[in-house]
Amino acid sequence: MKAKELRAMDEAALQKELQDLLKAQFTLNIQKSHQQLQNTSQIKKTRRDIARVRTILAQKATTK
C-alpha cells in the first residue's frame, strides 16, 4: 500500500490495517517454517508495509 493512501486514512483504519498486516506476517512466517511458502518476497513486502503504517501512525500522533 502506498504512503499517500495510508495518509488519507484515519487512525482507526490505520490500526486495523496494522493488525491485518501483523496477522499476514505471522501466517507467512508459519508457511515459511513449514516450507509451504512459494513467494518469499512477500515477507519483505509485508514487513515494509508494517513499518510504513507504524511510521504514519507516529507522524499523526506527533501532529496532534
Side-chain angles (χ1 to χ4, degrees):
M1 186 169 274
K2 302 272 186 184
K4 186 182 244 185
E5 296 170 1
L6 292 172
R7 284 191 181 95
M9 300 170 99
D10 63 336
E11 285 191 42
L14 285 171
Q15 288 290 345
K16 184 180 181 326
E17 182 70 25
L18 180 61
Q19 291 302 317
D20 292 343
L21 286 169
L22 289 170
K23 286 179 184 178
Q25 183 184 33
F26 177 76
T27 304
L28 288 171
N29 284 328
I30 294 297
Q31 288 177 354
K32 181 183 174 192
S33 69
H34 293 296
Q35 285 83 30
Q36 295 176 343
L37 185 62
Q38 300 296 321
N39 187 4
T40 57
S41 67
Q42 280 297 110
I43 294 173
K44 183 177 180 180
K45 289 177 186 176
T46 305
R47 191 175 70 236
R48 288 188 178 182
D49 284 342
I50 290 170
R52 196 172 289 125
V53 170
R54 285 182 174 163
T55 300
I56 293 173
L57 278 171
Q59 287 173 349
K60 286 184 180 261
T62 58
T63 58
K64 282 189 173 182

